[in-house]
Amino acid sequence: MSTFAHFVTGAVAAAFAIAVVAGWQHFHPAPMMAKVDIIGIVTSQQKILAAQMKPVMDQKAQAEIIESASRFGKNLDVALTQVASECKCTIINSAAIIKDSPSTTYDYTQRVRELTLSDK
């Protein structure tokens, strides 16, 4: 086989491989990622609850604070689920991100905070 035939065969094989990979990427795109500062949201809620705690509290007031914390946890889970379905993306805790390109990862912390703290 001539050198030209080898070159043409290689070029056709490379073009076919590129077309297959491009087609796969088009029909199977990588999932979109979004970040949320969950630790920041939880820390701010802890500060709010700690400010409500008094050295001498009756059991009813303590139970209300505990119920508020429990309700917050459930609301946070619901908010994260809602935001993930709204953006059709995977939510990642921002503490898990080592390096980030601001133009590629959206930050939904404020949206999650609003949904978590809103009374439904």
Side-chain angles (χ1 to χ4, degrees), residues 6 10 12 15 17 26 28 30 35-36 46 54 58 62 65 71-72 75 78 93-94 96 99 102-105 108 113:
H6 283 293
V12 169
H26 178 72
H28 298 90
K35 65 183 176 180
V36 173
Q46 285 176 337
K54 305 286 187 254
D58 62 349
Q62 289 176 357
I65 292 174
R71 193 172 43 252
F72 172 80
N75 287 349
V78 169
N93 186 356
S94 61
K99 292 277 185 186
S103 63
T104 60
T105 307
Y108 285 101
R113 187 182 313 262

Side-chain angles (χ1 to χ4, degrees), residues 6 18 20-21 23 34-35 44 47 49 58 68-69 72 76 100 102:
H6 283 293
I18 290 170
V20 167
V21 169
K35 65 183 176 180
S44 66
K47 288 178 183 175
L49 293 177
D58 62 349
S68 174
F72 172 80
L76 179 60
D100 187 19

Side-chain angles (χ1 to χ4, degrees), residues 90-113:
T90 301
I91 302 290
I92 297 175
N93 186 356
S94 61
I97 299 173
I98 297 170
K99 292 277 185 186
D100 187 19
S101 172
S103 63
T104 60
T105 307
Y106 297 102
D107 189 347
Y108 285 101
T109 303
Q110 190 58 36
R111 176 73 174 136
V112 171
R113 187 182 313 262

Side-chain angles (χ1 to χ4, degrees), residues 3-58:
T3 305
F4 180 72
H6 283 293
F7 176 75
V8 170
T9 303
V12 169
F16 180 73
I18 290 170
V20 167
V21 169
W24 180 266
Q25 288 293 324
H26 178 72
F27 291 108
H28 298 90
M32 189 177 102
M33 301 285 182
K35 65 183 176 180
V36 173
D37 183 13
I38 296 172
I39 294 172
I41 294 172
V42 170
T43 301
S44 66
Q45 181 65 15
Q46 285 176 337
K47 288 178 183 175
I48 292 169
L49 293 177
Q52 294 175 359
M53 296 292 286
K54 305 286 187 254
V56 185
M57 292 182 75
D58 62 349

